[in-house]
Amino acid sequence: GEGDEAGGGADDDGGKDDDGKDDDGDDEGDDGGDDDRSSNGGNRDSQWVSREHGGLLQIKGALLWIPPYSVSQSSQIVMERAPDTFGVWTIRFEPSGLTFNPPARLVISVRGIPSIDPARLKIAGASSGAEDWQVLGGTYDPLQGTVSIDIHHFSRYALCVE
């Protein structure tokens, strides 16, 4: 069918993708809201980010905004949501070692996390392949239901309780 490019199965329910929560910007569409941009239900996004224009990557429950002139050269950037050894999901990025000046902004949704005061949630970071987690901080936005932080380089990131 014509909708095959939207992420599989779209030819059976043609209009649903347009009516569903596929706007990628709202947290209520977390059940696969990014299907049209990735092959595995919004857990991965890959974008060409130009040095002059910066870019925006979005996955289920998180986004990364890279301002103009933040990277030293244009690059293909991958943002991926992956399970961690502790049963929490982490966010991983490629290429490893990429730096940002001015910093990029990582925003993680805190909606749907039960039994925790969201104002106590922060963002932690760890090196690739190591379990050297450190609380980096973050700012809670009660209106958006997010925690955000400026990042200067790629690492692994996850929500944590302060």
mmCIF file of all heavy atoms in Angstrom, residues 32-87:
data_model
loop_
_atom_site.group_PDB
_atom_site.id
_atom_site.type_symbol
_atom_site.label_atom_id
_atom_site.label_comp_id
_atom_site.label_asym_id
_atom_site.label_seq_id
_atom_site.Cartn_x
_atom_site.Cartn_y
_atom_site.Cartn_z
ATOM 1 N N GLY A 32 4.543 4.728 20.647
ATOM 2 C CA GLY A 32 4.963 4.628 19.256
ATOM 3 C C GLY A 32 4.729 5.886 18.464
ATOM 4 O O GLY A 32 4.557 5.830 17.266
ATOM 5 N N GLY A 33 4.750 7.033 19.085
ATOM 6 C CA GLY A 33 4.494 8.280 18.392
ATOM 7 C C GLY A 33 5.519 8.630 17.334
ATOM 8 O O GLY A 33 5.284 9.487 16.519
ATOM 9 N N ASP A 34 6.662 7.953 17.333
ATOM 10 C CA ASP A 34 7.700 8.270 16.368
ATOM 11 C C ASP A 34 7.818 7.207 15.281
ATOM 12 O O ASP A 34 8.825 7.116 14.608
ATOM 13 C CB ASP A 34 9.054 8.391 17.078
ATOM 14 C CG ASP A 34 9.126 9.614 17.964
ATOM 15 O OD1 ASP A 34 8.084 10.245 18.161
ATOM 16 O OD2 ASP A 34 10.204 9.938 18.448
ATOM 17 N N ASP A 35 6.791 6.364 15.101
ATOM 18 C CA ASP A 35 6.862 5.260 14.140
ATOM 19 C C ASP A 35 7.268 5.715 12.755
ATOM 20 O O ASP A 35 7.973 5.014 12.057
ATOM 21 C CB ASP A 35 5.497 4.557 14.009
ATOM 22 C CG ASP A 35 5.178 3.730 15.221
ATOM 23 O OD1 ASP A 35 6.112 3.431 15.989
ATOM 24 O OD2 ASP A 35 4.004 3.386 15.392
ATOM 25 N N ASP A 36 6.826 6.902 12.358
ATOM 26 C CA ASP A 36 7.088 7.353 11.005
ATOM 27 C C ASP A 36 8.547 7.747 10.800
ATOM 28 O O ASP A 36 8.984 7.905 9.689
ATOM 29 C CB ASP A 36 6.174 8.519 10.647
ATOM 30 C CG ASP A 36 6.308 9.690 11.603
ATOM 31 O OD1 ASP A 36 6.533 9.454 12.803
ATOM 32 O OD2 ASP A 36 6.183 10.829 11.147
ATOM 33 N N ARG A 37 9.321 7.879 11.857
ATOM 34 C CA ARG A 37 10.694 8.331 11.715
ATOM 35 C C ARG A 37 11.712 7.274 12.090
ATOM 36 O O ARG A 37 12.893 7.510 12.025
ATOM 37 C CB ARG A 37 10.923 9.540 12.607
ATOM 38 C CG ARG A 37 10.068 10.711 12.201
ATOM 39 C CD ARG A 37 10.145 11.804 13.203
ATOM 40 N NE ARG A 37 11.493 11.894 13.743
ATOM 41 C CZ ARG A 37 12.000 12.992 14.217
ATOM 42 N NH1 ARG A 37 11.306 14.075 14.232
ATOM 43 N NH2 ARG A 37 13.220 12.996 14.711
ATOM 44 N N SER A 38 11.296 6.111 12.571
ATOM 45 C CA SER A 38 12.261 5.106 12.976
ATOM 46 C C SER A 38 11.704 3.725 12.709
ATOM 47 O O SER A 38 10.519 3.549 12.509
ATOM 48 C CB SER A 38 12.589 5.271 14.458
ATOM 49 O OG SER A 38 11.431 5.069 15.221
ATOM 50 N N SER A 39 12.594 2.751 12.754
ATOM 51 C CA SER A 39 12.168 1.407 12.400
ATOM 52 C C SER A 39 11.713 0.603 13.614
ATOM 53 O O SER A 39 11.189 -0.475 13.455
ATOM 54 C CB SER A 39 13.316 0.685 11.705
ATOM 55 O OG SER A 39 14.440 0.639 12.564
ATOM 56 N N ASN A 40 11.925 1.096 14.823
ATOM 57 C CA ASN A 40 11.534 0.290 15.981
ATOM 58 C C ASN A 40 10.714 1.078 16.999
ATOM 59 O O ASN A 40 11.053 1.134 18.162
ATOM 60 C CB ASN A 40 12.752 -0.385 16.624
ATOM 61 C CG ASN A 40 13.780 0.614 17.098
ATOM 62 O OD1 ASN A 40 13.614 1.809 16.926
ATOM 63 N ND2 ASN A 40 14.836 0.122 17.701
ATOM 64 N N GLY A 41 9.625 1.686 16.546
ATOM 65 C CA GLY A 41 8.642 2.268 17.456
ATOM 66 C C GLY A 41 9.101 3.453 18.261
ATOM 67 O O GLY A 41 8.626 3.660 19.367
ATOM 68 N N GLY A 42 9.981 4.270 17.738
ATOM 69 C CA GLY A 42 10.353 5.484 18.453
ATOM 70 C C GLY A 42 11.493 5.314 19.420
ATOM 71 O O GLY A 42 11.773 6.196 20.191
ATOM 72 N N ASN A 43 12.190 4.185 19.411
ATOM 73 C CA ASN A 43 13.330 3.993 20.302
ATOM 74 C C ASN A 43 14.635 4.485 19.699
ATOM 75 O O ASN A 43 15.653 4.504 20.382
ATOM 76 C CB ASN A 43 13.472 2.515 20.674
ATOM 77 C CG ASN A 43 12.373 2.070 21.604
ATOM 78 O OD1 ASN A 43 11.863 2.875 22.385
ATOM 79 N ND2 ASN A 43 11.995 0.827 21.522
ATOM 80 N N ARG A 44 14.603 4.895 18.429
ATOM 81 C CA ARG A 44 15.835 5.320 17.761
ATOM 82 C C ARG A 44 15.521 6.431 16.764
ATOM 83 O O ARG A 44 14.517 6.384 16.066
ATOM 84 C CB ARG A 44 16.428 4.117 17.017
ATOM 85 C CG ARG A 44 17.767 4.357 16.398
ATOM 86 C CD ARG A 44 18.277 3.026 15.817
ATOM 87 N NE ARG A 44 19.677 3.109 15.466
ATOM 88 C CZ ARG A 44 20.131 3.599 14.313
ATOM 89 N NH1 ARG A 44 19.289 4.043 13.402
ATOM 90 N NH2 ARG A 44 21.421 3.632 14.070
ATOM 91 N N ASP A 45 16.397 7.429 16.717
ATOM 92 C CA ASP A 45 16.289 8.476 15.708
ATOM 93 C C ASP A 45 17.695 8.746 15.189
ATOM 94 O O ASP A 45 18.656 8.733 15.954
ATOM 95 C CB ASP A 45 15.688 9.754 16.308
ATOM 96 C CG ASP A 45 15.317 10.798 15.248
ATOM 97 O OD1 ASP A 45 15.410 10.499 14.043
ATOM 98 O OD2 ASP A 45 14.940 11.915 15.640
ATOM 99 N N SER A 46 17.804 8.953 13.891
ATOM 100 C CA SER A 46 19.082 9.247 13.270
ATOM 101 C C SER A 46 18.874 10.445 12.344
ATOM 102 O O SER A 46 17.983 10.421 11.503
ATOM 103 C CB SER A 46 19.566 8.027 12.484
ATOM 104 O OG SER A 46 20.788 8.304 11.846
ATOM 105 N N GLN A 47 19.670 11.483 12.532
ATOM 106 C CA GLN A 47 19.508 12.713 11.761
ATOM 107 C C GLN A 47 20.865 13.240 11.316
ATOM 108 O O GLN A 47 21.854 13.133 12.042
ATOM 109 C CB GLN A 47 18.855 13.815 12.620
ATOM 110 C CG GLN A 47 17.495 13.495 13.151
ATOM 111 C CD GLN A 47 16.423 13.604 12.094
ATOM 112 O OE1 GLN A 47 16.532 14.401 11.175
ATOM 113 N NE2 GLN A 47 15.398 12.792 12.217
ATOM 114 N N TRP A 48 20.893 13.844 10.120
ATOM 115 C CA TRP A 48 22.056 14.594 9.694
ATOM 116 C C TRP A 48 21.938 15.970 10.339
ATOM 117 O O TRP A 48 20.965 16.683 10.125
ATOM 118 C CB TRP A 48 22.091 14.712 8.166
ATOM 119 C CG TRP A 48 23.272 15.493 7.697
ATOM 120 C CD1 TRP A 48 23.270 16.779 7.277
ATOM 121 C CD2 TRP A 48 24.622 15.052 7.624
ATOM 122 N NE1 TRP A 48 24.540 17.166 6.934
ATOM 123 C CE2 TRP A 48 25.398 16.125 7.141
ATOM 124 C CE3 TRP A 48 25.274 13.847 7.932
ATOM 125 C CZ2 TRP A 48 26.770 16.034 6.961
ATOM 126 C CZ3 TRP A 48 26.640 13.760 7.743
ATOM 127 C CH2 TRP A 48 27.372 14.843 7.260
ATOM 128 N N VAL A 49 22.902 16.339 11.177
ATOM 129 C CA VAL A 49 22.883 17.616 11.879
ATOM 130 C C VAL A 49 23.964 18.507 11.278
ATOM 131 O O VAL A 49 25.149 18.168 11.318
ATOM 132 C CB VAL A 49 23.107 17.416 13.391
ATOM 133 C CG1 VAL A 49 23.234 18.750 14.111
ATOM 134 C CG2 VAL A 49 21.969 16.594 13.983
ATOM 135 N N SER A 50 23.528 19.617 10.700
ATOM 136 C CA SER A 50 24.493 20.526 10.078
ATOM 137 C C SER A 50 25.066 21.483 11.121
ATOM 138 O O SER A 50 24.383 21.885 12.059
ATOM 139 C CB SER A 50 23.835 21.308 8.943
ATOM 140 O OG SER A 50 23.116 22.410 9.443
ATOM 141 N N ARG A 51 26.326 21.824 10.930
ATOM 142 C CA ARG A 51 26.988 22.766 11.837
ATOM 143 C C ARG A 51 26.253 24.098 11.847
ATOM 144 O O ARG A 51 26.047 24.693 12.900
ATOM 145 C CB ARG A 51 28.439 22.952 11.370
ATOM 146 C CG ARG A 51 29.190 24.037 12.111
ATOM 147 C CD ARG A 51 30.679 23.978 11.806
ATOM 148 N NE ARG A 51 31.401 25.217 12.016
ATOM 149 C CZ ARG A 51 31.482 25.884 13.168
ATOM 150 N NH1 ARG A 51 30.856 25.460 14.220
ATOM 151 N NH2 ARG A 51 32.186 26.993 13.252
ATOM 152 N N GLU A 52 25.801 24.566 10.687
ATOM 153 C CA GLU A 52 25.183 25.889 10.567
ATOM 154 C C GLU A 52 23.784 25.953 11.175
ATOM 155 O O GLU A 52 23.387 26.977 11.706
ATOM 156 C CB GLU A 52 25.093 26.307 9.093
ATOM 157 C CG GLU A 52 26.434 26.517 8.431
ATOM 158 C CD GLU A 52 27.149 25.216 8.061
ATOM 159 O OE1 GLU A 52 26.457 24.188 7.876
ATOM 160 O OE2 GLU A 52 28.384 25.230 7.973
ATOM 161 N N HIS A 53 23.023 24.869 11.089
ATOM 162 C CA HIS A 53 21.622 24.903 11.516
ATOM 163 C C HIS A 53 21.325 24.128 12.792
ATOM 164 O O HIS A 53 20.253 24.277 13.357
ATOM 165 C CB HIS A 53 20.713 24.386 10.394
ATOM 166 C CG HIS A 53 20.813 25.205 9.159
ATOM 167 N ND1 HIS A 53 21.476 24.780 8.036
ATOM 168 C CD2 HIS A 53 20.371 26.457 8.885
ATOM 169 C CE1 HIS A 53 21.422 25.720 7.110
ATOM 170 N NE2 HIS A 53 20.761 26.751 7.605
ATOM 171 N N GLY A 54 22.244 23.284 13.247
ATOM 172 C CA GLY A 54 21.963 22.452 14.403
ATOM 173 C C GLY A 54 20.907 21.422 14.051
ATOM 174 O O GLY A 54 20.719 21.099 12.877
ATOM 175 N N GLY A 55 20.193 20.911 15.045
ATOM 176 C CA GLY A 55 19.174 19.921 14.745
ATOM 177 C C GLY A 55 18.409 19.471 15.963
ATOM 178 O O GLY A 55 18.700 19.869 17.101
ATOM 179 N N LEU A 56 17.418 18.625 15.721
ATOM 180 C CA LEU A 56 16.556 18.093 16.773
ATOM 181 C C LEU A 56 16.379 16.602 16.541
ATOM 182 O O LEU A 56 15.998 16.186 15.453
ATOM 183 C CB LEU A 56 15.188 18.792 16.736
ATOM 184 C CG LEU A 56 14.161 18.320 17.755
ATOM 185 C CD1 LEU A 56 14.563 18.747 19.164
ATOM 186 C CD2 LEU A 56 12.790 18.879 17.415
ATOM 187 N N LEU A 57 16.653 15.800 17.566
ATOM 188 C CA LEU A 57 16.412 14.365 17.514
ATOM 189 C C LEU A 57 15.373 14.042 18.571
ATOM 190 O O LEU A 57 15.399 14.609 19.678
ATOM 191 C CB LEU A 57 17.692 13.576 17.792
ATOM 192 C CG LEU A 57 18.694 13.535 16.638
ATOM 193 C CD1 LEU A 57 19.607 14.731 16.674
ATOM 194 C CD2 LEU A 57 19.485 12.255 16.672
ATOM 195 N N GLN A 58 14.439 13.131 18.243
ATOM 196 C CA GLN A 58 13.380 12.774 19.183
ATOM 197 C C GLN A 58 13.186 11.267 19.194
ATOM 198 O O GLN A 58 13.130 10.640 18.142
ATOM 199 C CB GLN A 58 12.061 13.421 18.782
ATOM 200 C CG GLN A 58 12.063 14.915 18.951
ATOM 201 C CD GLN A 58 10.733 15.519 18.571
ATOM 202 O OE1 GLN A 58 10.244 15.327 17.464
ATOM 203 N NE2 GLN A 58 10.139 16.241 19.495
ATOM 204 N N ILE A 59 13.076 10.727 20.400
ATOM 205 C CA ILE A 59 12.714 9.331 20.588
ATOM 206 C C ILE A 59 11.576 9.294 21.596
ATOM 207 O O ILE A 59 11.201 10.335 22.145
ATOM 208 C CB ILE A 59 13.905 8.477 21.089
ATOM 209 C CG1 ILE A 59 14.452 9.031 22.407
ATOM 210 C CG2 ILE A 59 14.978 8.378 20.017
ATOM 211 C CD1 ILE A 59 15.490 8.160 23.069
ATOM 212 N N LYS A 60 11.044 8.125 21.849
ATOM 213 C CA LYS A 60 9.966 7.975 22.825
ATOM 214 C C LYS A 60 10.434 8.477 24.192
ATOM 215 O O LYS A 60 11.360 7.939 24.771
ATOM 216 C CB LYS A 60 9.576 6.498 22.892
ATOM 217 C CG LYS A 60 8.461 6.191 23.843
ATOM 218 C CD LYS A 60 8.133 4.708 23.779
ATOM 219 C CE LYS A 60 7.099 4.355 24.825
ATOM 220 N NZ LYS A 60 6.799 2.930 24.789
ATOM 221 N N GLY A 61 9.815 9.557 24.663
ATOM 222 C CA GLY A 61 10.092 10.063 26.001
ATOM 223 C C GLY A 61 11.278 11.012 26.129
ATOM 224 O O GLY A 61 11.621 11.400 27.241
ATOM 225 N N ALA A 62 11.924 11.402 25.021
ATOM 226 C CA ALA A 62 13.085 12.283 25.156
ATOM 227 C C ALA A 62 13.380 12.995 23.835
ATOM 228 O O ALA A 62 12.972 12.543 22.772
ATOM 229 C CB ALA A 62 14.308 11.489 25.594
ATOM 230 N N LEU A 63 14.100 14.112 23.951
ATOM 231 C CA LEU A 63 14.562 14.807 22.753
ATOM 232 C C LEU A 63 15.904 15.459 23.049
ATOM 233 O O LEU A 63 16.278 15.701 24.193
ATOM 234 C CB LEU A 63 13.541 15.833 22.263
ATOM 235 C CG LEU A 63 13.210 17.057 23.114
ATOM 236 C CD1 LEU A 63 14.191 18.192 22.873
ATOM 237 C CD2 LEU A 63 11.810 17.542 22.772
ATOM 238 N N LEU A 64 16.648 15.705 21.964
ATOM 239 C CA LEU A 64 17.923 16.393 22.049
ATOM 240 C C LEU A 64 17.889 17.537 21.056
ATOM 241 O O LEU A 64 17.651 17.324 19.870
ATOM 242 C CB LEU A 64 19.083 15.448 21.702
ATOM 243 C CG LEU A 64 20.471 16.112 21.707
ATOM 244 C CD1 LEU A 64 20.916 16.424 23.132
ATOM 245 C CD2 LEU A 64 21.496 15.226 21.013
ATOM 246 N N TRP A 65 18.118 18.769 21.553
ATOM 247 C CA TRP A 65 18.173 19.943 20.696
ATOM 248 C C TRP A 65 19.625 20.395 20.616
ATOM 249 O O TRP A 65 20.278 20.641 21.637
ATOM 250 C CB TRP A 65 17.295 21.069 21.233
ATOM 251 C CG TRP A 65 17.416 22.301 20.406
ATOM 252 C CD1 TRP A 65 16.948 22.490 19.130
ATOM 253 C CD2 TRP A 65 18.088 23.518 20.756
ATOM 254 N NE1 TRP A 65 17.279 23.748 18.678
ATOM 255 C CE2 TRP A 65 17.979 24.393 19.651
ATOM 256 C CE3 TRP A 65 18.770 23.932 21.893
ATOM 257 C CZ2 TRP A 65 18.525 25.673 19.658
ATOM 258 C CZ3 TRP A 65 19.312 25.210 21.906
ATOM 259 C CH2 TRP A 65 19.187 26.070 20.799
ATOM 260 N N ILE A 66 20.137 20.486 19.394
ATOM 261 C CA ILE A 66 21.511 20.906 19.150
ATOM 262 C C ILE A 66 21.456 22.279 18.484
ATOM 263 O O ILE A 66 20.956 22.405 17.366
ATOM 264 C CB ILE A 66 22.238 19.892 18.256
ATOM 265 C CG1 ILE A 66 22.230 18.514 18.928
ATOM 266 C CG2 ILE A 66 23.664 20.359 17.975
ATOM 267 C CD1 ILE A 66 22.629 17.388 18.016
ATOM 268 N N PRO A 67 21.939 23.324 19.172
ATOM 269 C CA PRO A 67 21.848 24.668 18.604
ATOM 270 C C PRO A 67 22.806 24.850 17.419
ATOM 271 O O PRO A 67 23.776 24.102 17.268
ATOM 272 C CB PRO A 67 22.239 25.582 19.769
ATOM 273 C CG PRO A 67 22.982 24.740 20.728
ATOM 274 C CD PRO A 67 22.534 23.326 20.516
ATOM 275 N N PRO A 68 22.553 25.854 16.586
ATOM 276 C CA PRO A 68 23.474 26.153 15.481
ATOM 277 C C PRO A 68 24.897 26.399 15.994
ATOM 278 O O PRO A 68 25.081 26.969 17.066
ATOM 279 C CB PRO A 68 22.885 27.422 14.867
ATOM 280 C CG PRO A 68 21.436 27.381 15.230
ATOM 281 C CD PRO A 68 21.382 26.731 16.585
ATOM 282 N N TYR A 69 25.871 25.954 15.237
ATOM 283 C CA TYR A 69 27.295 26.120 15.530
ATOM 284 C C TYR A 69 27.728 25.473 16.837
ATOM 285 O O TYR A 69 28.746 25.835 17.410
ATOM 286 C CB TYR A 69 27.690 27.607 15.481
ATOM 287 C CG TYR A 69 27.437 28.194 14.130
ATOM 288 C CD1 TYR A 69 26.303 28.980 13.904
ATOM 289 C CD2 TYR A 69 28.279 27.925 13.057
ATOM 290 C CE1 TYR A 69 26.043 29.486 12.641
ATOM 291 C CE2 TYR A 69 28.024 28.435 11.795
ATOM 292 C CZ TYR A 69 26.904 29.208 11.592
ATOM 293 O OH TYR A 69 26.645 29.706 10.349
ATOM 294 N N SER A 70 26.990 24.477 17.300
ATOM 295 C CA SER A 70 27.338 23.757 18.516
ATOM 296 C C SER A 70 28.339 22.635 18.233
ATOM 297 O O SER A 70 29.150 22.295 19.087
ATOM 298 C CB SER A 70 26.067 23.177 19.145
ATOM 299 O OG SER A 70 26.364 22.419 20.273
ATOM 300 N N VAL A 71 28.276 22.055 17.019
ATOM 301 C CA VAL A 71 29.211 20.988 16.647
ATOM 302 C C VAL A 71 30.275 21.569 15.717
ATOM 303 O O VAL A 71 30.010 22.505 14.960
ATOM 304 C CB VAL A 71 28.494 19.792 15.971
ATOM 305 C CG1 VAL A 71 27.639 19.041 16.978
ATOM 306 C CG2 VAL A 71 27.643 20.226 14.800
ATOM 307 N N SER A 72 31.479 21.013 15.785
ATOM 308 C CA SER A 72 32.583 21.544 14.980
ATOM 309 C C SER A 72 32.422 21.218 13.499
ATOM 310 O O SER A 72 32.932 21.936 12.647
ATOM 311 C CB SER A 72 33.915 21.020 15.498
ATOM 312 O OG SER A 72 33.942 19.611 15.450
ATOM 313 N N GLN A 73 31.705 20.124 13.187
ATOM 314 C CA GLN A 73 31.427 19.790 11.789
ATOM 315 C C GLN A 73 30.099 19.059 11.700
ATOM 316 O O GLN A 73 29.664 18.423 12.657
ATOM 317 C CB GLN A 73 32.543 18.949 11.191
ATOM 318 C CG GLN A 73 32.742 17.607 11.862
ATOM 319 C CD GLN A 73 33.942 16.863 11.279
ATOM 320 O OE1 GLN A 73 34.817 17.476 10.688
ATOM 321 N NE2 GLN A 73 33.966 15.565 11.461
ATOM 322 N N SER A 74 29.445 19.154 10.556
ATOM 323 C CA SER A 74 28.175 18.463 10.336
ATOM 324 C C SER A 74 28.389 16.959 10.485
ATOM 325 O O SER A 74 29.437 16.450 10.090
ATOM 326 C CB SER A 74 27.636 18.785 8.949
ATOM 327 O OG SER A 74 27.434 20.177 8.811
ATOM 328 N N SER A 75 27.402 16.255 11.084
ATOM 329 C CA SER A 75 27.552 14.822 11.344
ATOM 330 C C SER A 75 26.208 14.116 11.334
ATOM 331 O O SER A 75 25.177 14.727 11.608
ATOM 332 C CB SER A 75 28.146 14.546 12.724
ATOM 333 O OG SER A 75 29.081 15.439 13.140
ATOM 334 N N GLN A 76 26.257 12.819 11.099
ATOM 335 C CA GLN A 76 25.098 11.950 11.285
ATOM 336 C C GLN A 76 25.063 11.615 12.778
ATOM 337 O O GLN A 76 26.049 11.114 13.320
ATOM 338 C CB GLN A 76 25.247 10.676 10.450
ATOM 339 C CG GLN A 76 24.025 9.785 10.479
ATOM 340 C CD GLN A 76 22.860 10.367 9.681
ATOM 341 O OE1 GLN A 76 23.065 11.143 8.748
ATOM 342 N NE2 GLN A 76 21.660 10.010 10.049
ATOM 343 N N ILE A 77 23.942 11.892 13.440
ATOM 344 C CA ILE A 77 23.826 11.660 14.878
ATOM 345 C C ILE A 77 22.706 10.669 15.131
ATOM 346 O O ILE A 77 21.632 10.753 14.534
ATOM 347 C CB ILE A 77 23.586 12.990 15.630
ATOM 348 C CG1 ILE A 77 24.811 13.885 15.450
ATOM 349 C CG2 ILE A 77 23.288 12.739 17.103
ATOM 350 C CD1 ILE A 77 24.741 15.206 16.140
ATOM 351 N N VAL A 78 22.975 9.726 16.029
ATOM 352 C CA VAL A 78 22.004 8.707 16.400
ATOM 353 C C VAL A 78 21.684 8.867 17.882
ATOM 354 O O VAL A 78 22.584 9.020 18.714
ATOM 355 C CB VAL A 78 22.547 7.281 16.133
ATOM 356 C CG1 VAL A 78 21.574 6.221 16.633
ATOM 357 C CG2 VAL A 78 22.842 7.095 14.651
ATOM 358 N N MET A 79 20.382 8.841 18.195
ATOM 359 C CA MET A 79 19.885 8.885 19.582
ATOM 360 C C MET A 79 19.074 7.616 19.764
ATOM 361 O O MET A 79 18.173 7.341 18.976
ATOM 362 C CB MET A 79 19.012 10.123 19.770
ATOM 363 C CG MET A 79 18.402 10.280 21.133
ATOM 364 S SD MET A 79 17.413 11.825 21.154
ATOM 365 C CE MET A 79 17.061 11.959 22.901
ATOM 366 N N GLU A 80 19.387 6.830 20.796
ATOM 367 C CA GLU A 80 18.724 5.539 20.963
ATOM 368 C C GLU A 80 18.346 5.295 22.414
ATOM 369 O O GLU A 80 19.137 5.521 23.322
ATOM 370 C CB GLU A 80 19.651 4.426 20.471
ATOM 371 C CG GLU A 80 19.010 3.070 20.464
ATOM 372 C CD GLU A 80 19.868 2.043 19.729
ATOM 373 O OE1 GLU A 80 21.105 2.208 19.686
ATOM 374 O OE2 GLU A 80 19.288 1.084 19.208
ATOM 375 N N ARG A 81 17.130 4.809 22.597
ATOM 376 C CA ARG A 81 16.623 4.429 23.909
ATOM 377 C C ARG A 81 16.902 2.942 24.069
ATOM 378 O O ARG A 81 16.497 2.141 23.231
ATOM 379 C CB ARG A 81 15.126 4.712 23.932
ATOM 380 C CG ARG A 81 14.400 4.260 25.154
ATOM 381 C CD ARG A 81 12.905 4.546 24.960
ATOM 382 N NE ARG A 81 12.131 3.818 25.920
ATOM 383 C CZ ARG A 81 11.230 4.352 26.715
ATOM 384 N NH1 ARG A 81 10.966 5.630 26.630
ATOM 385 N NH2 ARG A 81 10.569 3.631 27.575
ATOM 386 N N ALA A 82 17.618 2.577 25.130
ATOM 387 C CA ALA A 82 18.019 1.182 25.316
ATOM 388 C C ALA A 82 17.836 0.759 26.769
ATOM 389 O O ALA A 82 18.035 1.567 27.671
ATOM 390 C CB ALA A 82 19.474 1.012 24.908
ATOM 391 N N PRO A 83 17.464 -0.499 27.004
ATOM 392 C CA PRO A 83 17.334 -0.965 28.387
ATOM 393 C C PRO A 83 18.705 -1.058 29.050
ATOM 394 O O PRO A 83 19.696 -1.339 28.391
ATOM 395 C CB PRO A 83 16.689 -2.342 28.253
ATOM 396 C CG PRO A 83 16.959 -2.770 26.860
ATOM 397 C CD PRO A 83 17.135 -1.525 26.038
ATOM 398 N N ASP A 84 18.719 -0.817 30.346
ATOM 399 C CA ASP A 84 19.946 -0.863 31.120
ATOM 400 C C ASP A 84 19.943 -2.121 31.983
ATOM 401 O O ASP A 84 18.919 -2.761 32.151
ATOM 402 C CB ASP A 84 20.004 0.392 32.008
ATOM 403 C CG ASP A 84 21.334 0.540 32.714
ATOM 404 O OD1 ASP A 84 21.895 -0.465 33.135
ATOM 405 O OD2 ASP A 84 21.801 1.683 32.843
ATOM 406 N N THR A 85 21.076 -2.417 32.572
ATOM 407 C CA THR A 85 21.192 -3.588 33.442
ATOM 408 C C THR A 85 20.292 -3.481 34.668
ATOM 409 O O THR A 85 19.942 -4.472 35.270
ATOM 410 C CB THR A 85 22.647 -3.769 33.917
ATOM 411 O OG1 THR A 85 23.096 -2.530 34.470
ATOM 412 C CG2 THR A 85 23.543 -4.165 32.771
ATOM 413 N N PHE A 86 19.898 -2.265 35.039
ATOM 414 C CA PHE A 86 19.072 -2.073 36.232
ATOM 415 C C PHE A 86 17.583 -2.057 35.917
ATOM 416 O O PHE A 86 16.773 -1.761 36.781
ATOM 417 C CB PHE A 86 19.473 -0.783 36.947
ATOM 418 C CG PHE A 86 20.912 -0.755 37.330
ATOM 419 C CD1 PHE A 86 21.793 0.081 36.672
ATOM 420 C CD2 PHE A 86 21.406 -1.586 38.324
ATOM 421 C CE1 PHE A 86 23.127 0.104 36.998
ATOM 422 C CE2 PHE A 86 22.743 -1.576 38.661
ATOM 423 C CZ PHE A 86 23.612 -0.735 38.000
ATOM 424 N N GLY A 87 17.216 -2.323 34.673
ATOM 425 C CA GLY A 87 15.804 -2.342 34.310
ATOM 426 C C GLY A 87 15.229 -0.978 33.983
ATOM 427 O O GLY A 87 14.050 -0.832 33.750
#
